[in-house]
Amino acid sequence: MVEAFQDAWHRVADIHDVRFWMTLLYVAYVLGLGGWIVLQKREPVATVSWLLGLALLPYVGFIVYHYLGPQRITRHRIRRARSKAPSLPPSAADDPIARELSRLGLATTSLPPSTARDVRMLVDGHAKYTALLADIAQARDSIDIEYYIFLADTTGTAVRDALIERARAGVRIRLLVDAVGSSKTPRKFFAPLVAAGGAVAWFHPMRFGRVWRRPWLNLRTHRKIAVIDGHIAYTGGINVTDEEDESLRPDAYRDLHLRLEGRIARSLQVLFVEDWAYATGHAPVLPPAPEETEPGSYAVQAVASGPDSDWEAIHRMFVAAIHSAQRRVWLTTPYFVPGEAALMALTSAALGGLDVRLLVPKVSDSMIVTLAARSYFDQLLAAGVRVYEYGPRMLHSKALLVDDHVVSIGSANFDYRSFRLNFEVALVFHDARLASELERVIEGDLAHSPRVREDRPRPLWTVRLPEAVARLLSPLL
């Protein structure tokens, strides 16, 4: 059978000029698509990786790139007031680092620095869901919710039913869920909410007949946002799923979330409205802001990034915050696949004598990402970074602590995907109280995290080679 096929192929290839035209078609394919990729002016390593993939996998490589390759998205934005010198709250006005980071955030996102009256750090899912359900029950005007993962399990059903009750009471409900992150959730699960008067939308759904027109399988909203009555907000790393509720599952993810009251809720509502308008095709209309006379005592700024911007705002903010450090940099992330700028910032801080600590899960929910992360350990350890692997559960916290006053908590991992592909949001605080609280949380996690040693066993075939191969995929992860 194989010999017959090969013989038939050779007879076809011998037809007049078939080989010439096939070669010409291949060259045109590589030059055409390769030129398109080069003109996007992305990081050289990522560009070369895609070019090699296209060349070595003719036509199949094009399909992969079409669905998973980096793409630009144009969206309508709510017009936001900008100024060259943003007004900072009194608690941060005299801090030059706060002023620099605020200017950076404003320039890259157009979201101004803001304040919060109250900030509660919620550790693990049970605390987050308890607080969220209580606030939903008290809603009087509106509830806007956006999640990457919203599952039809015990937790998801409880949140859905709470929204249904408020919708029946006349509260305006808008729920936006990611079509890939929530792909296990059937559409009919949200039918009772729609029947009660709520609105539900799916972010970047893959529809038959639109496969070639909307090839955004790889571009997701990874944000976790809830805004209640315009003045209470939630954001962080915790989705809506039993997998993050330790009261339901002993192996639930270890994670962090924030509950906020005050003006910062407006910034998160702006992001939600833009995402909602983009997903539904409606014009972005922002409801009137609730009345509030006095600013809060917490200085905070929302930083958003995604494939609709070239600035990689969260990436830049992380790197700038690390470079500003004078004493310490503590980073906790479930996925650590840094670019050159982020890696250099961490190693430079350690080489400069600062206390630099990296906390990652011992085993994440992606073996390739775990291997890729470990491929960076030798360089980090050589520079003086202390690396720890959290072991009891899957670590899902995404937090950065710089010195005694800069704190960032949000949805963004420390990797290519969060910096460049996903729609993400992070909150950056300039507040010693929150820094002290985050320090205690991280220290508690470090107590359950063995330190990675330079002299750990590293056999070639089972450790070093798999890590090296996974690292090659870093720009594509």
Side-chain angles (χ1 to χ4, degrees):
M1 182 68 179
V2 174
E3 292 179 355
F5 176 80
Q6 290 176 339
D7 183 61
W9 170 252
H10 287 307
R11 286 199 300 270
V12 171
D14 287 336
I15 298 175
H16 180 64
D17 288 337
V18 168
R19 290 180 178 176
F20 168 78
W21 289 110
M22 290 180 63
T23 302
L24 185 63
L25 183 62
Y26 173 76
V27 171
Y29 155 80
V30 172
L31 292 179
L33 195 55
W36 172 257
I37 294 173
V38 170
L39 287 174
Q40 293 188 29
K41 298 180 180 178
R42 296 185 179 273
E43 205 169 83
V45 173
T47 300
V48 171
S49 297
W50 280 113
L51 290 174
L52 287 175
L54 293 171
L56 297 176
L57 297 172
Y59 314 119
V60 175
F62 167 75
I63 295 174
V64 173
Y65 182 81
H66 182 73
Y67 285 103
L68 303 180
Q71 300 172 56
R72 296 294 183 211
I73 289 179
T74 301
R75 311 197 306 171
H76 293 291
R77 292 183 179 275
I78 295 174
R79 190 179 298 275
R80 308 169 189 166
R82 292 185 57 170
S83 63
K84 293 183 179 179
S87 176
L88 288 168
S91 59
D94 296 329
D95 185 346
I97 294 175
R99 291 198 300 270
E100 177 186 354
L101 295 181
S102 294
R103 288 192 182 96
L104 175 62
L106 180 66
T108 55
T109 69
S110 298
L111 292 168
S114 187
T115 65
R117 293 193 313 270
D118 181 69
V119 178
R120 288 170 52 190
M121 191 177 298
L122 305 173
V123 181
D124 287 341
H126 185 66
K128 179 264 181 82
Y129 301 135
T130 301
L132 178 62
L133 289 171
D135 284 329
I136 289 175
Q138 297 299 316
R140 294 293 176 264
D141 178 47
S142 64
I143 301 175
D144 293 326
I145 293 185
E146 176 177 351
Y147 279 99
Y148 175 63
I149 297 175
F150 195 121
L151 296 187
D153 51 18
T154 300
T155 301
T157 301
V159 176
R160 182 206 61 179
D161 290 349
L163 294 175
I164 291 173
E165 190 278 328
R166 287 291 81 198
R168 289 172 176 165
V171 176
R172 189 199 71 220
I173 308 294
R174 293 185 293 188
L175 172 62
L176 177 61
V177 294
D178 187 82
V180 170
S182 304
S183 59
K184 295 180 181 179
T185 304
R187 302 295 179 99
K188 64 181 181 181
F189 175 75
F190 295 113
L193 176 57
V194 175
V200 179
W202 296 79
F203 191 91
H204 278 179
M206 296 299 292
R207 297 189 179 98
F208 182 75
R210 287 186 164 186
V211 172
W212 296 104
R213 191 155 59 92
R214 298 185 64 182
W216 296 327
L217 177 64
N218 207 30
L219 308 180
R220 315 312 315 168
T221 177
H222 195 241
R223 293 168 178 165
K224 293 87 176 167
I225 295 175
V227 181
I228 299 168
D229 291 340
H231 67 92
I232 297 175
Y234 288 78
T235 195
I238 301 178
N239 290 288
V240 179
T241 165
D242 290 352
E243 291 182 347
E244 300 211 41
D245 190 337
E246 73 284 6
S247 70
L248 298 177
R249 294 182 51 162
D251 62 342
Y253 289 1
R254 177 69 167 175
D255 213 334
L256 278 177
H257 217 75
L258 293 170
R259 180 192 183 275
L260 311 108
E261 293 185 29
R263 295 179 177 178
I264 186 59
R266 186 66 169 180
S267 295
L268 293 173
Q269 190 172 39
V270 165
L271 295 176
F272 171 85
V273 168
E274 289 181 346
D275 291 345
W276 178 264
Y278 172 70
T280 61
H282 300 154
V285 179
L286 193 64
E291 293 185 5
E292 185 174 358
T293 56
E294 296 296 327
S297 61
Y298 291 87
V300 57
Q301 186 168 19
V303 183
S305 63
D308 58 342
S309 171
D310 292 327
W311 292 119
E312 298 181 18
I314 293 177
H315 190 188
R316 288 177 185 271
M317 183 65 74
F318 283 176
V319 171
I322 294 169
H323 280 307
S324 74
Q326 300 295 314
R327 188 173 71 84
R328 70 173 170 187
V329 176
W330 290 7
L331 171 66
T332 174
T333 179
Y335 310 116
F336 181 78
V337 188
E340 289 299 322
L343 184 62
M344 182 169 288
L346 287 172
T347 53
S348 294
L351 289 167
L354 276 61
D355 175 12
V356 182
R357 305 186 192 186
L358 171 64
L359 178 61
V360 295
K362 185 175 182 61
V363 179
S364 76
D365 53 1
S366 171
M367 181 55 65
I368 293 179
V369 175
T370 298
L371 292 172
R374 288 175 177 170
S375 74
Y376 294 92
F377 286 0
D378 283 342
Q379 186 175 353
L380 294 168
L381 295 172
V385 177
R386 287 188 275 180
V387 181
Y388 301 84
E389 292 186 318
Y390 183 83
R393 295 183 273 157
M394 161 65 184
L395 180 74
H396 202 247
S397 305
K398 312 153 201 311
L400 176 66
L401 173 61
V402 175
D403 294 337
D404 296 321
H405 58 284
V406 178
V407 169
S408 177
I409 296 175
S411 67
N413 301 303
F414 208 81
D415 65 357
Y416 282 88
R417 175 168 296 279
S418 285
F419 291 156
R420 296 171 183 171
L421 296 178
N422 287 340
F423 290 91
E424 305 278 7
V425 62
L427 294 184
V428 179
F429 296 84
H430 306 276
D431 189 88
R433 295 165 295 179
L434 204 61
S436 178
E437 187 173 358
L438 179 58
E439 177 183 25
R440 290 193 295 271
V441 171
I442 294 178
E443 285 180 337
D445 290 341
L446 290 174
H448 301 282
S449 308
R451 185 172 173 181
V452 177
R453 301 292 178 180
E454 291 188 75
D455 59 352
R456 65 197 185 283
R458 291 180 51 75
L460 174 62
W461 294 106
T462 58
V463 175
R464 283 185 290 162
L465 184 59
E467 289 178 1
V469 172
R471 183 165 180 160
L472 288 176
L473 300 175
S474 293
L476 310 180
L477 294 176

